[in-house]
């Protein structure tokens, strides 16, 4: 089977970099699912699953760095997750606080540039400050653009962009007919980011759950039965290999 690449310049750049994949996705996005089931299967509290999930986050960032994937986006906390029991929300935000404190120096040294998407204003002020500092202190890095979706919902994001477009029209900045996909995409959290080429989800669920709804239009989807805390570099490599086997046509070419 011949593999049609998403964009030839990107794959030749990858080849120059010596990647072992014929075609490397520019942007991999992951729905990390199954922490609770992982903990339940071991008779542990849910927070133990989230802690193990944070270890999987570490492994996955390392795998992306090793593979030379330039953009990685992780769905860490959805806008719906605020509806979980107070104790779990507090445990998850505590874990985020701890993660920022313990991991940022290493990420910075590894060349990771961190960006947060979502409604961060719902987090406690100290977390907001730590997120801002983490973004600021890694802003000049470019080896891996790591985006973490926090308090993120795809529909919320699209509604906010539509509202911003309507307001700009009311202010006379542009006419309604000048609103096209490109201009609209610039109003999303992900402005200036490439769309994901590959979206992974763990835990056997096969849906997007309000993740990157606009941006996922042409993404390849790969689902794993493994629970997120068990996800490792081998699974990441399998996903990249599967991506390289897929034929991407963007609706443009009949079979
Ligand atoms: C889904 O599992 C996972 C989450 C809601 C949270 C994701 C958090 C982490 C991976 C750890 C922390 C990450 C960072 C960046 C510090 P679930 O709880 O929905 O599992 P279940 O479907 O089995 O109940």
């Amino acid at each position: 089977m011949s593999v049609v690449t998403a964009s030839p310049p990107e794959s030749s750049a990858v080849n120059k970099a010596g990647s072992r994949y014929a075609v490397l996705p520019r942007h991999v996005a992951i729905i990390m699912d199954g922490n609770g089931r992982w903990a339940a299967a071991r008779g542990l509290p849910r927070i133990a699953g989230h802690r193990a999930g944070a270890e999987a986050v570490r492994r996955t960032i390392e795998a992306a760095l090793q593979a030379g994937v330039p953009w990685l986006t992780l769905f860490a906390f959805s806008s719906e997750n605020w509806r979980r029991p107070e104790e779990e929300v507090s445990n998850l935000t505590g874990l985020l606080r701890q993660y920022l404190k313990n991991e940022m120096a290493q990420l910075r040294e590894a060349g990771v540039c961190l960006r947060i998407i979502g409604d961060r204003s719902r987090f406690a002020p100290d977390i907001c400050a730590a997120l801002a500092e983490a973004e600021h202190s890694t802003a000049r890095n470019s080896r891996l653009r790591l985006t973490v979706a926090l308090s993120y919902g795809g529909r919320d994001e699209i509604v906010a962009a539509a509202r911003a477009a309507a307001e700009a029209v009311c202010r006379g900045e542009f006419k309604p007919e000048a609103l096209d996909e490109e201009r609209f995409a610039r109003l999303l959290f992900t402005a200036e980011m490439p769309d994901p080429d590959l979206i992974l989800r763990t835990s056997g669920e096969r849906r997007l759950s309000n993740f990157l709804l606009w941006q996922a239009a042409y993404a390849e989807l790969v689902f794993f039965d493994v629970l997120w805390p068990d996800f490792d570099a081998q699974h990441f490599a399998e996903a990249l290999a599967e991506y390289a086997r897929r034929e991407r046509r963007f609706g443009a070419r009949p079979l």
Side-chain angles (χ1 to χ4, degrees), residues 58-134:
R58 200 170 290 128
R59 288 195 293 274
T60 303
I61 294 171
E62 181 58 36
L65 283 164
Q66 290 297 325
V69 169
W71 294 80
L72 176 69
T73 297
L74 302 175
F75 198 8
F77 195 92
S78 73
S79 40
E80 293 77 25
N81 286 156
W82 291 110
R83 295 203 291 263
R84 290 195 176 191
E86 209 179 308
E87 188 190 356
E88 183 171 0
V89 169
S90 154
N91 284 337
L92 273 167
T93 53
L95 191 57
L96 176 62
R97 191 179 273 116
Q98 210 180 326
Y99 188 88
L100 290 165
K101 194 167 162 219
N102 299 342
E103 304 285 328
M104 280 320 298
Q106 220 175 318
L107 291 178
R108 194 166 47 243
E109 273 153 39
V112 174
C113 172
L114 180 77
R115 170 183 189 152
I116 304 300
I117 56 171
D119 179 11
R120 67 176 80 189
S121 69
R122 295 187 69 178
F123 290 97
D126 71 305
I127 294 188
C128 291
L131 291 172
E133 167 57 22

Side-chain angles (χ1 to χ4, degrees), residues 226-242:
V226 68
L227 300 173
W228 176 251
D230 291 326
F231 190 84
D232 62 18
Q234 185 58 38
H235 297 112
F236 193 78
E238 275 171 34
L240 297 185
E242 172 61 22

Side-chain angles (χ1 to χ4, degrees), residues 165-191:
E167 285 166 359
V169 167
C170 288
R171 287 194 300 269
E173 286 174 25
F174 58 84
K175 292 204 164 7
E177 55 271 27
L179 181 62
D180 56 11
E181 288 187 16
E182 206 184 308
R183 193 188 282 260
F184 189 77
R186 289 203 298 268
L187 299 171
L188 298 169
F189 285 130
T190 51

Side-chain angles (χ1 to χ4, degrees), residues 32-37 46 50 53-54 76 81 84 95 99 228:
M32 311 182 286
D33 195 13
N35 294 351
R37 277 163 282 173
R46 292 179 63 83
H50 295 314
N81 286 156
R84 290 195 176 191
L95 191 57
Y99 188 88
W228 176 251

